[in-house]
Amino acid sequence: MSQDVDQNPQEDNGGPDWIAIGVTVVSLILLVVFSPWVLNLQLGFLIVQVVLISIVIWQACDPFADAAQWVGETLRLPGSVRGATLDAVASSMPELFSGIFFVVVAVMSVQGDSVTEMAQTGAEGYGSTLATCAGSAVYNMILIPAFCGIVISLYRKSKPTVDVEPEVISRDGMWFIACELVLILFLFNDRMYWWMGLVFIGMYIAYIVHLFVDAKRYQRAMDAIHAHLGEVGHDTPTEQIVETLQAENIKATHMLVEKIKSSHDEEEEEDEADSAGAFYGMFDIPLSGLTATLVLLVCTGIAAISCYWLVEVTNETAHVLNVPVFFVAVILAAAASSVPDTFLSIGAAMRGDDSGAVSNVFGSNIFDICICLSIPLLVNSYLIGWEPVLLIQDGKPIEGLVDLRLLLVTLSAITLLVLWHRRQLTRAKSYFLCCLYALFIGYAIAGSFGFSIVGLLGIVD
């Protein structure tokens, strides 16, 4: 089992997740009853579809996340590394598939073989991909930590704050900022080339190598702590153990020693077979190498189908509202595709894995930028004969793209500062982050009516 667990976790008795079922049923009833009247019949039906898609994606990614976590525990990965890799990939599948379908649907909608028309339509599709990934990055970066902070402040009375290890912010946070800066640098061009996708993929490989090195260091420390505790006993003061191991050039932290000590007495009680909970936990799938692989493949297929549906609904919603798809994608598609990230991080925090919850946010955003933008870029480039993907329409940048560059950096910097302050997320900070996201949504709504931050400030692009 992973050592990144809470010392006093709430018992999980298995069975259906009645809270999640209740939330789903109430949400659907309210939507069906009120949205057609508050909005209009057609738009209300589209919003209901978005919620249904979110639920399907959520339920597809739940067993995927369980299987991915089982793989991480089998490989003895630390919570922060598992959250930044396996959990992040599990929760970012919707963004990847949505991005691919946005460009494929756009290019394939062109009648005939006109490369110019395909390039222009593909540019609009890739613009929607950018909006979905960027909107998801903002949602992940701001709203998920906020939800974790609020839930933990109510659920975990003994320690009502989300405490983050400094290395999560200094490692994952800095990698995210680096990837974001490269993205913004590329977006200052009026076109994106296929080789830019390879640059992002190369950065992701470098990030994974960094995590691999950290995982190996963690495993060495964990083995050394177990061996030392076997020699001196579990009653030995933590400070003494840390000092002894550090004298042997082994990076053992107080937090890791305490977790290993606390888990020693619980290991005998945790002999239940690992399983993946499917459909609100109503079905348990015992996990092994074969079943974990099947769960990952089947859930990936369900997520892919759901994302194709999401792309169609997003395009139709933009048509009904008569606004650019960019602004619909930055709200609806981004939020719907980020549902798995939300529940995955909250679940990790409730298990006591605070660092895993936050590293999942950073890891998801790095995956969104490096993979979920690069793969659709390569697909789009291939479909239009490896021509560059234009970021301009009618001689001007894609509407909303200029403001998005400014907002990404500003909101990310503010959130990082909030997390870095005392390396702790309180309920008050969580409410502040919710207000920050509300401002972002306000911008997206105003932007669909032509509002521009850059234009307001008089900045020339």
Side-chain angles (χ1 to χ4, degrees):
M1 297 295 291
S2 170
Q3 302 299 332
D4 291 311
V5 295
D6 191 7
Q7 286 89 341
N8 298 294
Q10 192 179 58
E11 290 295 324
D12 183 7
N13 297 320
D17 186 347
W18 293 109
I19 295 178
I21 293 173
V23 169
T24 301
V25 172
V26 171
S27 299
L28 289 176
I29 291 175
L30 290 176
L31 278 167
V32 172
V33 172
F34 292 108
S35 62
W37 303 105
V38 175
L39 302 168
N40 60 62
L41 188 60
Q42 185 178 13
L43 186 57
F45 181 62
L46 290 170
I47 299 300
V48 170
Q49 287 186 72
V50 171
V51 174
L52 286 173
I53 293 168
S54 300
I55 294 171
V56 173
I57 291 175
W58 168 21
Q59 293 306 308
C61 289
D62 257 4
F64 189 110
D66 289 340
Q69 182 175 338
W70 179 84
V71 172
E73 292 176 345
T74 302
L75 297 176
R76 296 199 310 154
L77 297 178
S80 59
V81 172
R82 187 183 67 243
T85 52
L86 298 174
D87 290 354
V89 172
S91 57
S92 290
M93 283 194 306
E95 286 89 340
L96 175 59
F97 288 122
S98 297
I100 293 173
F101 286 132
F102 267 123
V103 298
V104 171
V105 169
V107 173
M108 293 304 176
S109 66
V110 176
Q111 302 294 327
D113 299 324
S114 173
V115 176
T116 302
E117 188 176 353
M118 289 174 65
Q120 292 176 345
T121 308
E124 183 178 354
Y126 191 68
S128 300
T129 299
L130 284 168
T132 300
C133 289
S136 177
V138 173
Y139 180 103
N140 292 349
M141 189 71 185
I142 298 177
L143 215 52
I144 293 180
F147 285 157
C148 287
I150 293 171
V151 170
I152 290 304
S153 69
L154 299 173
Y155 167 84
R156 194 170 62 195
K157 300 298 184 181
S158 60
K159 194 181 73 169
T161 59
V162 175
D163 297 323
V164 186
E165 295 177 4
E167 70 174 11
V168 172
I169 301 175
S170 61
R171 181 194 65 200
D172 302 318
M174 292 305 102
W175 266 105
F176 168 56
I177 290 295
C179 294
E180 196 174 64
L181 290 175
V182 173
L183 171 62
I184 291 170
L185 178 65
F186 287 163
L187 292 181
F188 268 100
N189 297 287
D190 59 2
R191 61 198 66 200
M192 291 189 72
Y193 298 87
W194 62 268
W195 57 263
M196 293 178 177
L198 298 183
V199 171
F200 283 132
I201 292 174
M203 292 185 70
Y204 193 72
I205 292 174
Y207 173 61
I208 293 298
V209 170
H210 188 174
L211 292 177
F212 176 79
V213 172
D214 278 1
K216 286 297 182 182
R217 186 184 299 117
Y218 172 90
Q219 290 168 0
R220 285 196 298 270
M222 192 167 62
D223 290 340
I225 294 170
H226 277 295
H228 192 67
L229 288 174
E231 295 175 0
V232 302
H234 285 72
D235 295 330
T236 306
T238 298
E239 184 67 34
Q240 180 180 330
I241 295 173
V242 172
E243 290 178 357
T244 301
L245 293 178
Q246 285 182 346
E248 299 175 7
N249 293 322
I250 296 174
K251 185 180 179 182
T253 64
H254 290 75
M255 185 179 297
L256 181 57
V257 173
E258 288 295 332
K259 284 179 179 178
I260 291 177
K261 278 185 173 183
S262 65
S263 66
H264 178 262
D265 297 329
E266 299 172 3
E267 289 180 351
E268 296 180 358
E269 302 174 6
E270 295 181 346
D271 293 331
E272 297 181 4
D274 292 310
S275 62
F279 196 66
Y280 296 100
M282 293 184 180
F283 305 98
D284 284 332
I285 305 170
L287 291 175
S288 63
L290 176 61
T291 56
T293 302
L294 290 175
V295 167
L296 295 177
L297 292 176
V298 171
C299 292
T300 298
I302 295 174
I305 295 171
S306 302
C307 290
Y308 179 79
W309 184 14
L310 177 62
V311 167
E312 292 289 350
V313 171
T314 301
N315 289 328
E316 181 64 23
T317 303
H319 176 72
V320 170
L321 294 174
N322 194 27
V323 299
V325 180
F326 183 95
F327 292 103
V328 179
V330 87
I331 299 177
L332 287 185
S337 62
S338 293
V339 168
D341 299 87
T342 306
F343 288 99
L344 201 59
S345 289
I346 291 176
M350 291 178 70
R351 292 193 305 271
D353 187 6
D354 293 4
S355 294
V358 177
S359 63
N360 171 46
V361 170
F362 288 121
S364 294
N365 285 353
I366 294 170
F367 188 86
D368 286 350
I369 293 174
C370 293
I371 304 299
C372 299
L373 287 181
S374 61
I375 300 301
L377 175 61
L378 293 172
V379 170
N380 200 7
S381 299
Y382 170 76
L383 292 176
I384 61 176
W386 300 107
E387 292 293 322
V389 178
L390 300 178
L391 299 180
I392 55 175
Q393 291 178 338
D394 301 324
K396 298 183 297 184
I398 295 175
E399 195 169 1
L401 187 59
V402 177
D403 286 349
L404 198 59
R405 297 191 300 235
L406 178 63
L407 285 171
L408 268 177
V409 175
T410 304
L411 296 177
S412 298
I414 293 174
T415 308
L416 276 174
L417 288 174
V418 170
L419 291 174
W420 183 258
H421 179 251
R422 297 184 178 179
R423 270 58 108 209
Q424 195 175 71
L425 187 60
T426 62
R427 189 186 302 181
K429 290 181 180 178
S430 299
Y431 288 148
F432 171 75
L433 292 177
C434 288
C435 293
L436 204 61
Y437 188 74
L439 290 176
F440 175 74
I441 293 299
Y443 149 75
I445 295 174
S448 65
F449 293 100
F451 172 79
S452 170
I453 297 175
V454 172
L456 180 66
L457 298 176
I459 300 174
V460 179
D461 182 42

